[in-house]
Amino acid sequence: MLPWKRVLRPLAAVVLAAVVSVVPATAAHAASAPSTGWNDYSCKPSAAHPRPVVLVHGTFANSVDNWLGLAPYLEDRDYCVFSLDYGQLPGVPLIHGLGPVDASAAQLSTFVDKVLAATGAAKADLVGHSQGGMMPRYYLKFLGGAAKVNALVGIAPSNHGTDLDGLTNLLPYFPGAADLLSAKTPALADQIVGSPLLTKLNAGGDTVPGVHYTVIASRYDEVVTPYRSQFLSGSDVRNVLLQNLCAADFAEHVLIGLTDRIAFHEVANSLDPAHATPTTCASALS
């Protein structure tokens, strides 16, 4: 029998090393976010778009690289756009979203307060990818965020966890694997179906009053599976499957947040529903 504990112990470090190796440009990007419109604390929301937009990255991401597509897209449409880094682990540079979800939600709370103070707005809109679409719900439900947020738009959010196409079902067969996962990368453990964090988050209903929720999902998502687990239930929820809008959209979990302008169009519709326009395959060119 293989010594599973010894094999699994360096698992998280290996994953982190692999991620760093495929994102060599991260350091250059993270060094200087754009100074105009995106993380520009002198930006004042317009009458047309009176709320700042806070972008919340996903697991293994950061405040810049996750938003190189969507942030300029929103900036071009006259939004004040901000993004934060959260969930940092000691000794792990550039790659974030790894710490406990509840602690990350507290970081988001502090950041939203900072943005509201700088812009003078009463409320913000949140747009998050993957964990970044789920984690803000903890802030809304338990940390007073509902009074400061108008809308939450989740792009491929891990709202009810993931089984990674069944891979996490193998954890009980490897002694110590679940404890290792929790110790090394708490955010991953928090996003497994049935985790204590998700059980607490979803108890008593998916939503809180006063916040408008949108979920944008792809049937080709290979990370948050099954993709229907991303959807929320509630009286003020709009669940969107991209392929119902454009059957030719093959974006999976990463691309839906990084480059998919069809998803971006739906984000814009959710932020300004009074001026929403139909999302079609042609939205990729808009």
Side-chain angles (χ1 to χ4, degrees):
M1 177 180 294
L2 287 174
W4 289 112
K5 284 189 177 181
R6 194 168 59 208
V7 172
L8 287 169
R9 191 167 304 281
L11 176 61
V14 171
V15 171
L16 289 175
V19 173
V20 171
S21 70
V22 300
V23 195
T26 300
H29 292 151
S32 57
S35 60
T36 305
W38 183 10
N39 282 343
D40 174 13
Y41 285 89
S42 68
C43 185
K44 300 300 180 183
S46 65
H49 299 136
R51 293 175 299 276
V53 178
V54 174
L55 303 178
V56 190
H57 65 73
T59 311
F60 295 126
N62 64 50
S63 62
V64 177
D65 283 9
N66 206 144
W67 304 119
L68 291 173
L70 182 58
Y73 182 95
L74 294 176
E75 180 188 352
D76 288 346
R77 286 153 179 78
D78 196 30
Y79 286 92
C80 290
V81 182
F82 301 86
S83 60
L84 77 155
D85 284 316
Y86 72 87
Q88 299 91 334
L89 290 181
V92 182
L94 307 178
I95 306 301
H96 306 311
L98 303 175
V101 167
D102 55 355
S104 294
Q107 291 181 277
L108 174 62
S109 177
T110 298
F111 188 80
V112 171
D113 286 348
K114 177 181 177 181
V115 169
L116 294 181
T119 60
K123 290 188 175 184
D125 289 324
L126 308 181
V127 180
H129 178 218
S130 192
Q131 180 191 168
M134 174 274 291
M135 177 270 282
R137 293 178 50 226
Y138 193 99
Y139 163 56
L140 298 177
K141 194 168 188 178
F142 300 114
L143 303 179
K148 303 173 184 179
V149 172
N150 169 72
L152 169 61
V153 182
I155 305 171
S158 51
N159 280 321
H160 296 98
T162 178
D163 62 2
L164 293 176
D165 279 330
L167 290 179
T168 58
N169 294 330
L170 297 175
L171 287 176
Y173 296 96
F174 302 105
D179 291 340
L180 172 67
L181 188 65
S182 180
K184 296 296 185 182
T185 50
L188 295 182
D190 283 345
Q191 292 176 85
I192 293 175
V193 173
S195 73
L197 182 285
L198 288 173
T199 299
K200 176 181 177 180
L201 177 62
N202 294 317
D206 290 346
T207 63
V208 296
V211 179
H212 310 293
Y213 294 83
T214 300
V215 173
I216 303 171
S218 169
R219 70 169 69 253
Y220 301 110
D221 197 311
E222 79 288 16
V223 174
V224 181
T225 56
Y227 74 83
R228 293 180 185 83
S229 70
Q230 301 172 24
F231 293 148
L232 296 172
S233 297
S235 59
D236 197 351
V237 172
R238 192 168 67 95
N239 292 313
V240 178
L241 181 63
L242 284 180
Q243 285 72 35
N244 288 342
L245 306 175
C246 175
D249 189 333
F250 297 105
E252 41 65 74
H253 185 78
V254 174
L255 293 183
I256 191 177
L258 290 181
T259 64
D260 191 348
R261 291 177 72 90
I262 296 172
F264 294 175
H265 190 269
E266 273 300 288
V267 170
N269 280 347
S270 299
L271 296 176
D272 188 7
H275 299 95
T277 57
T279 300
T280 66
C281 293
S283 300
L285 304 176
S286 64

